[in-house]
Amino acid sequence: MPKLTIDGKEIEVPGGLTVLQACELAGVEIPRFCYHERLSVAGNCRMCLVEMGQAPKPIASCAMPAGDGMVIRTDTPVVKKARQGVMEFLLINHPLDCPICDQGGECDLQDQAMAFGVDHSRYQENKRAVPEKYMGPLIKTIMTRCIHCTRCIRFATEIAGVEEMGALNRGGHVEITTLEKAIDSELSGNLIDVCPVGALTSRPYAFTARSWELRKTNSVDALDAVGSNIRVDARGREVMRVLPRLHEDVNEEWISDKTRYACDGLARQRLDRPYLRKDGRLRPVSWDEAFRAIAARLDGLDGGKIAALAGDLCDAESMLALKDLMAALGSPHLDCRQDGAKIGAKIGGAGPRAGYLFNTTIAGIERADAALLVGTNPRHEATLVNARLRKRFLMGGFRVGLIGAPCDLSYPVDTLGAGPETLSELAAGTGAFAEVLTAAERPMIVLGMAALARPDGAAVLHLARALAEKFGMIGEDWNGFNLLHGAAARVGGLDLGFLPGDGGRDRDGILDGVHGGDIEVVYLLGADEIDMARLGPNAQEGAFVIYQGHHGDAGAHRADVILPGAAYTEKNGTYVNTEGRVQLGRLAVSPPGEARADWTILRALSEVVGQRLPYDDLGALRQRLVAVNPVFAAVDRVEAAPWGEFGEQGKLDGAPFGVAVENYYMTDPISRASETMASCAEVFGSGRAGEATGTDG
Amino acid sequence: MFDKVLLKNAEIPNAHGIGAYEAAGGYRALATVLHEYSPDELIQLVKDSNLRGRGGAGFPTGVKWGFVPKDPALEKYLCCNADESEPGTFKDRVIMEKDPHQMIEGMVIGAYAIGAQKAYIYIRGEYVLSIERTEAALKEAYRKGYLGERILGTDFNLEMFVHCGAGAYICGEETALLESVEGRRAQPKLKPPFPVVEGLYGCPTVINNVETLACLPHIVQRGAEWFRGIGPERSPGPKLYCLSGHVRKPGLYELPMGISLRELVEDHGGGPRSGGRIKAVIPGGVSAPMIPESGLDVAMDFDSLAAIDTMLGSAGVIVLDETACVVRVAKRITEFFNHESCGKCTPCREGLDWAVKILRRLEDGRGKHEDLDQLERLCGSIFGNSFCALGDGAAWALSAALKHFRDEFVRHIEDGRCPFH
């Protein structure tokens, strides 16, 4: 614990810190541009210079290790002059076009020029201009604004793992450049956040709003099962942008491109009023008429002929309301696994929680020393989990094996095989990777949905469980068994038991039941990823389909009644991420038109069908949620889940594991409605080309 | 008359071949070292000799070697800095062209001292003949068993490689040199960790200049005391001086360290060109601040020059006579540094660019009096704040020109033109 004197104040700091970090602990602000907590130290901007003891020159505090007995001064004329000098240098070639710069109002250069610069420039020569670079549909470049801090280069190289940015030329001619193609990373949007100036800004957001006009709401993302912490910035009723919020255990300070950029999909293809299919066509109706049509169809119908499926974006509250309504109607047929993943027991709920969680936790990945990925591409299914795996890889001593479709994960992977056969061999202890797992102290396995959403999924799960035990993945303070979910709603649905009840049917049972005439009414709560053809062409030759959701996607297309619900930014709702972390999403804007928060729709409908649900406000519903499963009371706390029996011994199929996410940019109704995601899909789908066109849009 | 040491073979025809080198006693020092010295004894010998690095900084060579971690499990590297790019400097080039084995023998001795089994010679890319001669000499040395496995029958192994630069001055900065060897963009790296602890490929690495290494065989053969007896005790040894500019007899001179600058220029260099008078001398390559004529009675060694706010640097002595326009010289030097700035840190990248723009106006006679104060402020903002010594050197050199010859700058402003051209 070195002891330093900073501006006359003595302070003891933990070992391994830099002088800059020590100054922060002492409550002394040090200006900086190139330094970033999560990137390697560059020391090039020279803004953080301070005086150190008898050193003849000021030192870069970001790069100097804090040592015992150091005397640091940050308030001397030398330091002030050095900062002013650097600030002046940074601004001489900067265009000072703040009035037309999207960074304006949230710009480090602006803020620090105010705090540490002088109020005029002595520069009378011509300024340099730098040509723009093409970085794809997400990032807009104004390279003349660049101050060459190289944060973007370091982010791309270190965090994202794509060596596609670098510096060209020398001296005053230095330019930060790309390969003149879109940055091939699902984390590219974070480049905008790490850029301390307006050189890299959001392309879709360009010229739409000023930061001070926006209403900021802290929430969580629902477009994958990571549960990234986000801030939703809205103006009026429109979500203008989504930014990351710090959560060390989940997303650190990054978010994926889908999380950030799919938000324009919130304003398109929206269901903003109820619809009822009359004479084969969906017609707008009042809430009352829609409810009465449902009540009429359910009237006298045996509960056993009704079924419900919950989709991937559902909040726990609405799933519980629907579950309670189904129970009241006498239906045991419900399922939250619309991809058909064989998770949980056949009868009697979800089974032990450790059987469906990412038990290691995302932050726990950093403690692992070997990983086996099975039927998963974490880069596409949970980008921030993959970022954490890469972070662990960079720490050294971490081997990763993959069984499944080969993919580029931004770190080296031993591809071991394609399907369950390889998994059995490994579980039997054969192959080189078995030695890696044996030698590892804290090995982990990650099962993706591609390994479980198949007929032999329960057998794969069982085998994986056995493998985990064989290689010592389950211990006192270590659980290396992990399911990687792709759906934000999934763990919540499993936790509250949105699963077939006694004698109930699962997804395939329900869809087969429609075909056989055993199921007559299907309630789709935002379920868009099932094969709609299996519901029959219409209510007469198939099921009567009630679709409750927010987008005019596959489910709405097939529906007989549409009940317009709220997207994740438009309601207060609970989500449980893949680790089992309960988090609260918050209402940032109101739902459009006549759309309503989903649990209130179910509450209203219950009354019309004569099965009034016993909660009148969100608080009461949340109490019911905790009563169903106490985990919902532990917001943002992850407790180790007890181990147990799960999966089923069975015959394994020879077929290789498939791919859970075919198109990263279009996985759900919101991203499919997003123009930005569509342009990404185009650029990255067509062989990752995206050559510069010469026209800046 | 001083007996040449480093250049003693230079006049022999075909001295670059191993035959001539061996005939002149070459590689005997290596045999002595390998058979009679332990690495620690060798380091002590070099410490006792007071040999200081000839690349410019003048750091004691033996002390630098002593910093190398002794852990035998660690791979260690020796790099020879032959990226001689300082304007006015041409001493390492003569060693490589005329007597490359002298450098190679010095490197094998140095590698033995620090326990390196791999060594790199980083040669400036423009030095085509140096590269050719060094590569040929390496082949000869391998063939004769001075390099490779079990050198001279001992357990010591050493591989040596030539790495060519591609024309960037910054590669002479030792950490940028290492980046370049590793195949990356040549930019200086943060210190600490210093290369001697964490250098090439993350391993302990010693970087020595060509001339420094060339001194080693002689120290081994003739002893530390002999070496210390040449020139000032704190900064001794034979020294190569590169004399250029407005003198009658420019060229490379080997003389003792600590010779007076006036003696070097006027006696050995034959004084200024016909009829001229000396205005100023740059004593150690263009990053060394210039000395006006009145200051020439200074000893050419690290400490004496530092005492008058300049430096021995690479001992590239550039003489300016009265026909030289100091504004133009300052502009040209600053243009050089601006061109060679790697662009990494703000003060050097932005500050030099700005300085060049002002200096160009001044030389054209479009300057203003405020420009001179602005240039001084600029130098103040660069000096001490830049990442490596490139920015410091540029600012230091420019501020010396302003300090000693401000009247010339003022004349450019007042006349509205250059009085010399």
Side-chain angles (χ1 to χ4, degrees), chain A residues 471-499:
Chain A
F471 289 108
M473 295 184 186
I474 317 300
E476 274 295 289
D477 69 333
W478 179 253
N479 189 334
F481 184 83
N482 301 293
L483 256 61
L484 185 59
H485 293 279
R490 185 64 53 85
V491 175
L494 292 164
D495 278 342
L496 62 86
F498 201 99
L499 293 162

Side-chain angles (χ1 to χ4, degrees), chain A residues 151-224:
Chain A
R151 277 188 189 179
C152 53
I153 299 177
R154 285 175 284 144
F155 177 85
T157 315
E158 294 162 18
I159 309 282
V162 288
E163 297 197 39
E164 296 186 2
M165 297 197 74
L168 284 183
N169 308 328
R170 291 194 310 222
H173 302 285
V174 162
E175 289 178 22
I176 304 295
T177 193
T178 66
L179 303 177
E180 285 294 314
K181 70 180 193 58
I183 296 289
D184 189 4
S185 168
E186 294 74 25
L187 289 166
S188 68
N190 297 295
L191 289 167
I192 295 165
D193 293 342
V194 298
C195 179
V197 300
L200 307 180
T201 55
S202 170
R203 200 152 162 170
Y205 174 73
F207 306 134
T208 55
R210 284 306 204 175
S211 62
W212 56 86
E213 304 170 332
L214 300 171
R215 199 172 59 249
K216 292 136 181 128
T217 310
N218 290 344
S219 191
V220 293
D221 176 48
L223 300 182
D224 61 28

Side-chain angles (χ1 to χ4, degrees), chain B residues 39-308:
Chain B
D40 283 341
E41 287 165 350
L42 182 56
I43 291 174
Q44 193 55 49
L45 174 75
V46 175
K47 277 182 184 168
D48 292 344
S49 76
N50 285 356
L51 170 63
R52 291 171 68 172
R54 303 310 200 219
F59 194 83
T61 305
V63 175
K64 190 191 266 191
W65 289 1
F67 290 150
V68 176
K70 302 283 181 216
D71 182 357
L74 284 173
E75 178 105 41
K76 298 168 194 79
Y77 293 97
L78 174 71
C79 283
C80 172
N81 188 342
D83 189 50
E84 183 177 63
S85 313
E86 181 76 20
T89 312
F90 40 83
K91 63 190 182 62
D92 298 341
R93 165 185 181 170
V94 172
I95 293 175
M96 287 185 284
E97 289 179 1
K98 302 277 191 193
D99 200 1
H101 284 287
Q102 191 178 199
M103 166 183 70
I104 293 169
E105 186 177 7
M107 284 183 74
V108 184
I109 293 171
Y112 176 76
I114 63 165
Q117 301 201 346
K118 290 199 177 71
Y120 288 86
I121 310 171
Y122 191 98
I123 308 181
R124 177 182 176 182
E126 291 91 335
Y127 276 8
V128 177
L129 186 59
S130 294
I131 294 165
E132 277 177 21
R133 293 250 161 108
T134 304
E135 282 183 335
L138 280 186
K139 279 198 190 114
E140 290 175 327
Y142 268 108
R143 207 169 51 236
K144 289 273 191 165
Y146 299 126
L147 284 174
E149 288 187 8
R150 301 188 55 79
I151 294 169
L152 299 179
T154 64
D155 289 339
F156 182 60
N157 306 325
L158 179 67
E159 281 195 82
M160 202 175 284
F161 309 93
V162 168
H163 190 106
C164 303
Y169 173 76
I170 193 66
C171 289
E173 199 283 338
E174 57 182 16
T175 57
L177 181 151
L178 297 180
E179 289 284 277
S180 175
V181 172
E182 289 185 26
R184 280 197 286 271
R185 179 182 168 88
Q187 287 191 328
K189 283 199 289 192
L190 287 168
K191 292 189 264 192
F194 289 88
V196 73
V197 179
E198 222 180 291
L200 195 60
Y201 304 113
C203 298
T205 303
V206 165
I207 300 134
N208 287 141
N209 171 258
V210 176
E211 186 187 347
T212 313
L213 292 162
C215 288
L216 295 172
H218 307 289
I219 293 173
V220 169
Q221 284 199 301
R222 300 168 79 168
E225 210 157 310
W226 160 80
F227 193 84
R228 226 170 39 236
I230 303 170
E233 168 125 14
R234 308 285 313 149
S235 135
K239 180 76 193 96
L240 301 181
Y241 298 97
C242 321
L243 192 56
S244 66
H246 300 153
V247 280
R248 275 181 215 272
K249 294 189 285 176
L252 186 65
Y253 291 86
E254 183 177 6
L255 293 163
M257 191 71 103
I259 185 178
S260 120
L261 177 55
R262 191 178 295 282
E263 186 190 334
L264 175 68
V265 172
E266 292 186 349
D267 298 353
H268 298 278
R273 294 185 301 190
S274 50
R277 282 190 14 209
I278 293 172
K279 182 189 273 181
V281 176
I282 296 170
V286 295
S287 45
M290 58 177 67
I291 306 170
E293 198 275 342
S294 58
L296 293 195
D297 294 305
V298 63
M300 290 291 283
D301 64 71
F302 293 111
D303 304 323
S304 307
L305 284 164
I308 60 159

Side-chain angles (χ1 to χ4, degrees), chain A residues 22 53 62-63 97 105 139 153 165-166 168 197 201 206 217 253 276 300 307 317 357 386 482 559 608 626 662 695:
Chain A
C62 69
D97 57 347
I139 301 170
I153 299 177
M165 297 197 74
L168 284 183
V197 300
T201 55
T217 310
E253 62 187 82
L276 179 62
E317 288 85 351
L357 293 187
N386 197 56
N482 301 293
V608 178
V626 173
E662 290 280 358
T695 54

Side-chain angles (χ1 to χ4, degrees), chain A residues 63 114 174 205 292 616 669:
Chain A
M114 289 293 290
V174 162
Y205 174 73
R292 276 190 284 111
D616 295 329

